[in-house]
Amino acid sequence: SAVISQKPSRDICQRGTSLTIQCQVDSQVTMMFWYRQQPGQSLTLIATANQGSEATYESGFVIDKFPISRPNLTFSTLTVSNMSPEDSSIYLCSAGGVGVEQFFGPGTRLTVL
Amino acid sequence: TQLLEQSPQFLSIQEGENLTVYCNSSSVFSSLQWYRQEPGEGPVLLVTVVTGGEVKKLKRLTFQFGDARKDSSLHITAAQPGDTGLYLCAGSNAGNMLTFGGGTRLMVKP
């Protein structure tokens, strides 16, 4: 299994600003993903972070709002741009190898005022 | 679009009781995973089932994958307060993409 860390663990931001969330994996992984989760609810996939190419976004999520970087096989960032209160949520990154299992980071709890 | 429906959404039981959580879909999945999540943490993988009809046991937890690989169940025997959390099923097909169920919030009261 992979150990995944995220920074920051939580933040409170003002409307209209942007926040970049970092995800670090302790080993090289093939796949990295970003999810959003409302407290107590299930996970919604935002995008697959592709190493060396543009991320693949799910329906309802666009690159201008959620730009993603993945410069190598152990690191990825998700930026939440031009934030509004509706963006308040928990953002999770996950990593997977050649198998089907995904391992999750602890999440970043974002509150937008 | 593949959908996974979990039931029940909420479950509050006394310590020592048994419970079953269901995960159903009209779609076939190549594998299905169960996760448990506690507040302030990310989901933690409990088990992966890949073969239709497969049953896996993890101490007091029993996981079953349906014969047609469209449904799964999680049974907990003699629940303990430490079992409290959000239980999530997730189905997987090509590309290592996961489709998550809506989750079951379990509270076990001492």
Side-chain angles (χ1 to χ4, degrees), chain A residues 44-111:
Chain A
T44 300
L45 180 64
I46 297 172
T48 303
N50 300 309
Q51 196 266 326
S53 64
E54 195 171 282
T56 305
Y57 290 84
E58 296 301 303
S59 176
F61 298 96
V62 295
I63 187 171
D64 290 345
K65 177 66 176 177
F66 298 101
I68 288 170
S69 79
R70 190 172 173 200
N72 56 51
L73 293 175
T74 64
F75 186 78
S76 178
T77 67
L78 168 74
T79 299
V80 186
S81 303
N82 188 25
M83 288 183 285
S84 66
E86 291 72 34
D87 295 319
S88 297
S89 191
I90 300 166
Y91 292 86
L92 293 150
C93 75
S94 73
V98 296
V100 298
E101 289 100 352
Q102 289 185 24
F103 301 94
F104 286 83
T108 296
R109 182 180 288 269
L110 171 63
T111 302

Side-chain angles (χ1 to χ4, degrees), chain A residues 1 4-5 11 31 35 42 45 66 71 83 103:
Chain A
S1 65
I4 301 168
S5 59
D11 207 343
M31 313 288 287
Y35 292 84
S42 190
L45 180 64
F66 298 101
M83 288 183 285
F103 301 94

Side-chain angles (χ1 to χ4, degrees), chain B residues 13-56:
Chain B
I13 61 173
Q14 292 295 134
E15 182 176 2
E17 293 182 5
N18 301 333
L19 66 113
T20 302
V21 178
Y22 299 94
C23 183
N24 296 298
S25 175
S26 58
S27 304
V28 175
F29 290 98
S30 59
S31 68
L32 197 136
Q33 298 161 51
W34 285 91
Y35 291 84
R36 177 169 163 264
Q37 184 179 23
E38 296 189 50
E41 298 181 10
V44 175
L45 180 67
L46 297 174
V47 77
T48 299
V49 285
V50 297
T51 305
E54 182 177 5
V55 176
K56 280 191 174 179

